[in-house]
Amino acid sequence: MELFYVSLLCLFVLLVSISLHFLFYKNKSGLSGGSLPPGRTGWPVVGESLEFLSTGWKGHPEKFIFDRMAKYSSTVFRTSLLGEKAAVFCGASGNKFLFSNENKLVQAWWPASVDKVFPSSSAASSSKEEAIKMRKMLPGFFKPEALKQYVGIMDHITRRHFAAGWDNKDEVVVFPLAKRYTFWLACRLFLSIEDPNHVAKFADPFDLLASGLISVPIDLPGTPFHRAIKASNFIRKELHAIIKQRKIDLAEGKASSTQDILSHMLLTSDEDGKFMAELDIADKILGLLIGGHDTASSACTFIVKYLAELPEIYEGVRKGKLSLHIYLA
């Protein structure tokens, strides 16, 4: 009997969802469809997120894009992902339009769900203003004289990484190793954290954060999105403690002003002479870490893939006396 009532309730919820879908979404698209690109927004709230995520889980994320390019348009189509309506630009012309018109016709923007994962303390500032601040702040960290000291650090960590994860192995799974490597480098260059055990303390929460960031934004216990929020709060708390200790070390002369991005942020003021608040710095460091979590490791993985598939290129690298770990770094 209970099963019957549960089934009846599920059917009722489904019918209400379908009714709302046709009542609000179809009517709205009918009124404004002439000014929108071709496509569909899918189900209420969820949109086409499940189809988008399922193609990624199956190892073919591009299928979602290619199917809609074939069905609707090869240049631009509309959809709804992670609770937000979106227009997807395709091909070289679409990419050129977006990247040549940043802060002109288009502006960097994140879905509202991302604000729950990254609850920035700089909510009063727009993403455009925050990006400008970061671009003004970081050039000092990337000056040639500053970069020279990082080469030796990167080489040292790379050698340790290969000795621990690659040497004397008949077979390796590259992507997880590459993620561990690039995350270790980021922790060292951004925060001066080199101890593998300390890095590992951050690694698991960052995996949860990265996977939950592109999940369906349902904040319920057990969901990837909920785990991402919890991981973000944990990491921010840890970063805040590191920042407080670094301020003490800088005041006592135990830390250098040029040793990493954290010291640079603590000691660099804006044009008005104001220094960043501790929570703002934690937000920025978190953004830098998550920004490089998958991108750099993906690039490293594809380098290994193509070197394996193109033996003549691999031989050219060997003959050029470029060791693989330096090439990857």
Side-chain angles (χ1 to χ4, degrees):
M1 197 67 177
E2 290 182 2
L3 182 61
F4 171 75
Y5 284 120
V6 171
S7 302
L8 192 62
L9 178 62
C10 291
L11 180 61
F12 174 75
V13 172
L14 180 62
L15 290 173
V16 170
S17 298
I18 293 173
S19 300
L20 289 173
H21 173 70
F22 281 99
L23 179 62
F24 294 106
Y25 282 73
K26 295 298 182 182
N27 288 343
K28 189 172 181 180
S29 63
L31 291 173
S32 55
S35 60
L36 295 174
R40 60 188 291 267
T41 53
W43 292 94
V45 182
V46 176
E48 294 189 297
S49 301
L50 296 179
E51 296 172 63
F52 172 69
L53 294 172
S54 67
T55 55
W57 293 330
K58 293 175 182 176
H60 301 285
E62 70 282 357
K63 186 177 185 301
F64 179 87
I65 303 296
F66 291 155
D67 286 352
R68 282 151 185 78
M69 288 176 65
K71 185 175 182 179
Y72 299 118
S73 169
S74 61
T75 55
V76 60
F77 63 86
R78 78 175 186 271
T79 182
S80 177
L81 299 173
L82 307 180
E84 302 285 351
K85 293 179 182 178
V88 179
F89 287 81
C90 313
S93 59
N95 280 275
K96 181 180 180 181
F97 171 80
L98 288 175
F99 289 110
S100 61
N101 286 289
E102 185 179 5
N103 296 327
K104 298 175 185 175
L105 299 178
V106 295
Q107 184 174 314
W109 167 86
W110 289 98
S113 59
V114 174
D115 291 333
K116 293 184 179 180
V117 181
F118 298 108
S120 175
S121 57
S122 301
S125 302
S126 68
S127 58
K128 177 180 176 181
E129 292 170 339
E130 291 300 313
I132 292 172
K133 286 181 183 178
M134 286 294 290
R135 287 171 182 169
K136 288 182 178 179
M137 178 177 293
L138 291 181
F141 183 77
F142 293 112
K143 286 181 179 178
E145 56 270 23
L147 289 173
K148 288 179 182 178
Q149 69 176 350
Y150 310 139
V151 174
I153 294 171
M154 294 170 70
D155 183 63
H156 171 69
I157 289 179
T158 304
R159 290 178 186 274
R160 290 181 62 183
H161 168 75
F162 272 83
W166 294 67
D167 290 353
N168 302 316
K169 300 287 194 304
D170 294 329
E171 183 178 300
V172 294
V173 182
V174 176
F175 188 51
L177 286 169
K179 284 204 294 184
R180 191 185 310 167
Y181 165 61
T182 55
F183 189 69
W184 190 359
L185 276 178
C187 287
R188 174 59 184 86
L189 296 178
F190 297 166
L191 300 166
S192 293
I193 296 175
E194 189 170 336
D195 178 17
N197 294 325
H198 199 171
V199 174
K201 185 179 180 181
F202 281 103
D204 290 340
F206 260 95
D207 285 338
L208 292 174
L209 177 55
S211 60
L213 194 60
I214 55 170
S215 64
V216 178
I218 299 175
D219 186 10
L220 292 174
T223 62
F225 189 67
H226 181 78
R227 290 195 292 267
I229 293 174
K230 289 183 66 177
S232 174
N233 292 336
F234 170 81
I235 295 167
R236 282 159 56 86
K237 183 179 178 180
E238 292 292 318
L239 288 175
H240 197 201
I242 292 171
I243 291 167
K244 282 185 173 294
Q245 184 59 48
R246 178 61 62 82
K247 290 180 76 172
I248 295 172
D249 292 343
L250 286 170
E252 295 178 352
K254 297 178 181 178
S256 165
S257 60
T258 59
Q259 72 182 53
D260 54 30
I261 281 184
L262 176 56
S263 287
H264 183 75
M265 286 183 171
L266 283 168
L267 298 173
T268 302
S269 61
D270 61 18
E271 57 270 17
D272 299 322
K274 295 181 180 178
F275 292 89
M276 290 178 64
E278 292 177 2
L279 290 178
D280 282 344
I281 294 175
D283 289 337
K284 300 297 183 295
I285 294 290
L286 178 57
L288 289 171
L289 287 171
I290 197 64
H293 186 263
D294 284 334
T295 51
S297 54
S298 296
C300 289
T301 301
F302 275 109
I303 288 174
V304 174
K305 175 182 183 291
Y306 289 125
L307 285 175
E309 292 177 350
L310 303 169
E312 67 279 10
I313 302 298
Y314 177 69
E315 284 302 315
V317 172
R318 275 170 37 87
K319 289 177 181 178
K321 298 182 180 179
L322 289 173
S323 60
L324 183 58
H325 64 270
I326 292 297
Y327 194 78
L328 283 174

